[in-house]
Amino acid sequence: GLHKDLFGKRGLASKKEIVALRVAEVLGRMHVTFSDKEYAKALGHKDAEVRRSALWSLERLAKRGMLNSPSKDLLKQLNKLLRKDKQDAVQAQALVTIAALDESAVETLVLEFAFAKSPLIRAAAMELTRGLPAFGLIQVQTLVVNDPAFAVRLIAYESANAQGSLAAMRFLVEALGKEQRARCAWRIVDFLRGSTGMKYGLDPRPWSDWLSQQPEGWTAQEKKERQAAGEEGTTALVGMRVISSYLTFLIDFSGSMWKETAGVSLKQKVDVEMRKALEGLAPEVMFNVQPYATDSVLWEKKLTPASERNVKQAMDFFEGCKLTGKGDFWSAMQIAMLDPEVDTFMLLGDGAPTGGQRWNMELMKSLFAHENRFRRIALDALLMDCSGFLTSQWEVMCEQSGGRCMSVEIQ
């Protein structure tokens, strides 16, 4: 029964792509395993998202020790997806899946794909360096020092932070001096603060001085709770500092936005807060504004400089937007993610996704981490009138992405 339901017309072979996608996802959460032939069906699906999810499921099963040695045919198919699939995201996921199935291949895979053309594949290769203690920081530095993709650099910083050695901290301090993206620089500060207990900021010099006084055998202390870095942002949205120079404002226009108190809607109050935030952006900041409800509307097709003229046009667009419906955060996020430059989503809403095909926050945490894995976009969430349970789910989702979460009240 279960077998037929999962792999038959009611499951993986369903004409509805969302059904096949959910089956491919759920395989990785199951406590039973299937034959390599069944997994091969999922990996050969015509839809790239299904193939990627099936690969993710195999990776999760392998990490839980649930897969016996895979057959030659399955490994051949995985390698074909890694080298021939038309979608970079599928190739990137295939890389980490093969590594999970065959740990002995990791170093070879890193060396082969660290300079791939696709930033997603380079990010996946960089993620694998965490499993290689012998893969010293000098090689990591060589791989990432000039990488144009911020996600690749961020993963290298995470890898160094996980290593926790004095050499790793020196690598982070050196990176802090070179890192051009504010969001990435603050992430390095987060790591340094967590590992050393010091509270210095973006200037690498005091970090360097402190490290020079530590003995060679120094190792990171137990990681402290991550500090919410970003106290030097130029502007704020409802009290949360904007610390990115490449961000999209995602604003939830569903039900609660249009409720009125004493003749004034929440939307009118949000208009005031958005104006303050946008007018405070430095002119070189690249931004976009994306209201969403059942549907999603982008102000511009891509991130745009925060010139006086553009800020005025963005505010005219935002104030004039009459979007209503249910809050489909997931679809809005996927649209926002299409811009390769964006490194931060700044979300303002009631925290209760009510529309679209993804609304279960407990599931969304792991799904968002999967979706964002090789992009490393930080999610900063400002939640209005959000329940304790939902807030806790958002906190996890934001934390995993290197972002922040705050409950706010708009007067």
Side-chain angles (χ1 to χ4, degrees):
L2 173 66
H3 188 278
K4 197 176 174 185
D5 281 347
L6 282 173
F7 294 98
K9 287 183 179 176
R10 292 173 60 188
L12 199 67
S14 171
K15 287 178 181 172
K16 291 181 181 173
E17 276 175 9
I18 187 66
V19 175
L21 181 58
R22 285 186 167 156
V23 169
E25 286 162 5
V26 86
L27 289 174
R29 290 198 296 272
M30 297 190 76
H31 295 280
V32 291
T33 51
F34 299 93
S35 72
D36 284 3
K37 279 187 177 175
E38 303 295 13
Y39 290 130
K41 278 184 196 170
L43 295 171
H45 199 278
K46 67 180 190 300
D47 184 66
E49 283 302 301
V50 176
R51 295 197 299 279
R52 182 160 69 110
S53 283
L55 284 162
W56 180 41
S57 283
L58 281 183
E59 181 197 7
R60 286 177 291 163
L61 290 169
K63 284 181 172 173
R64 279 164 45 209
M66 289 190 66
L67 289 183
N68 298 322
S69 52
S71 65
K72 280 183 185 172
D73 285 347
L74 187 63
L75 283 171
K76 195 175 167 185
Q77 190 177 13
L78 290 170
N79 274 290
K80 189 179 172 188
L81 287 170
L82 170 59
R83 289 175 169 82
K84 299 276 170 64
D85 199 277
K86 288 188 170 69
Q87 296 291 326
D88 295 353
V90 175
Q91 289 182 284
Q93 181 59 53
L95 180 60
V96 292
T97 301
I98 292 168
L101 284 162
D102 181 7
E103 287 178 15
S104 67
V106 172
E107 193 159 352
T108 314
L109 290 170
V110 170
L111 293 169
E112 185 180 348
F113 290 97
F115 297 101
K117 191 178 172 187
S118 160
L120 296 181
I121 298 170
R122 295 199 305 277
M126 188 50 59
E127 196 180 281
L128 297 184
T129 63
R130 278 188 76 158
L132 289 175
F135 200 84
L137 279 161
I138 289 136
Q139 285 104 315
V140 174
Q141 279 174 287
T142 319
L143 297 182
V144 301
V145 74
N146 295 315
D147 200 295
F150 71 87
V152 180
R153 302 196 302 274
L154 270 176
I155 294 168
Y157 307 154
E158 287 169 15
S159 191
N161 184 53
Q163 206 172 79
S165 65
L166 197 60
M169 295 303 119
R170 285 197 195 111
F171 165 63
L172 287 175
V173 172
E174 196 178 310
L176 183 59
K178 293 174 181 168
E179 182 53 67
Q180 296 297 302
R181 282 197 176 232
R183 188 84 215 201
C184 300
W186 276 117
R187 193 76 180 119
I188 296 172
V189 171
D190 276 346
F191 290 145
L192 288 169
R193 286 177 173 180
S195 292
T196 67
M198 297 292 107
K199 290 194 168 63
Y200 306 126
L202 290 173
D203 185 344
R205 289 170 299 183
W207 290 112
S208 244
D209 292 344
W210 186 85
L211 285 175
S212 68
Q213 294 159 26
Q214 306 312 308
E216 267 311 312
W218 179 94
T219 51
Q221 59 180 46
E222 260 187 64
K223 297 282 186 287
K224 288 198 171 172
E225 199 174 311
R226 193 171 60 77
Q227 309 273 338
E231 54 269 22
E232 294 174 32
T234 53
T235 187
L237 176 62
V238 204
M240 185 186 277
R241 287 267 159 217
V242 175
I243 61 170
S244 166
S245 302
Y246 297 86
L247 76 158
T248 294
F249 292 93
L250 282 166
I251 314 294
D252 183 355
F253 271 45
S254 62
S256 55
M257 188 63 93
W258 302 102
K259 283 180 186 164
E260 291 195 2
T261 313
V264 181
S265 69
L266 177 59
K267 165 68 167 55
Q268 287 167 296
K269 295 175 183 176
V270 169
D271 286 346
V272 175
E273 296 297 335
M274 277 296 285
R275 182 174 289 280
K276 281 193 272 188
L278 295 185
E279 287 178 351
L281 292 172
E284 65 273 12
V285 169
M286 305 291 286
F287 80 107
N288 207 342
V289 178
Q290 186 178 339
Y292 71 91
T294 306
D295 296 312
S296 184
V297 192
L298 276 166
W299 164 56
E300 287 288 358
K301 285 180 183 167
K302 59 180 186 176
L303 298 185
T304 304
S307 65
E308 204 173 316
R309 180 170 167 269
N310 287 342
V311 164
K312 185 186 180 306
Q313 287 183 354
M315 266 322 297
D316 288 348
F317 159 79
F318 189 80
E319 284 175 357
C321 186
K322 300 284 190 282
L323 207 60
T324 58
K326 293 185 170 182
D328 184 358
F329 161 73
W330 188 261
S331 298
M333 177 273 298
Q334 286 187 307
I335 290 165
M337 218 177 234
L338 293 173
D339 192 323
E341 283 301 305
V342 69
D343 64 27
T344 300
F345 294 147
M346 207 157 193
L347 175 130
L348 177 68
D350 64 9
T354 48
Q357 293 172 327
R358 307 278 194 201
W359 44 263
N360 181 323
M361 281 299 299
E362 282 186 274
L363 287 177
M364 211 184 282
K365 287 179 304 193
S366 61
L367 289 172
F368 176 69
H370 167 61
E371 197 76 6
N372 192 34
R373 183 172 183 176
F374 306 121
R375 287 294 309 279
R376 288 301 202 273
I377 296 166
L379 174 63
D380 287 339
L382 293 143
L383 306 176
M384 307 175 287
D385 295 322
C386 187
S387 74
F389 169 74
L390 281 177
T391 300
S392 69
Q393 306 300 301
W394 281 100
E395 281 170 352
V396 171
M397 203 152 79
C398 293
E399 178 83 21
Q400 283 172 342
S401 74
R404 303 160 292 167
C405 186
M406 219 167 106
S407 292
V408 297
E409 202 175 316
I410 298 182
Q411 302 297 333

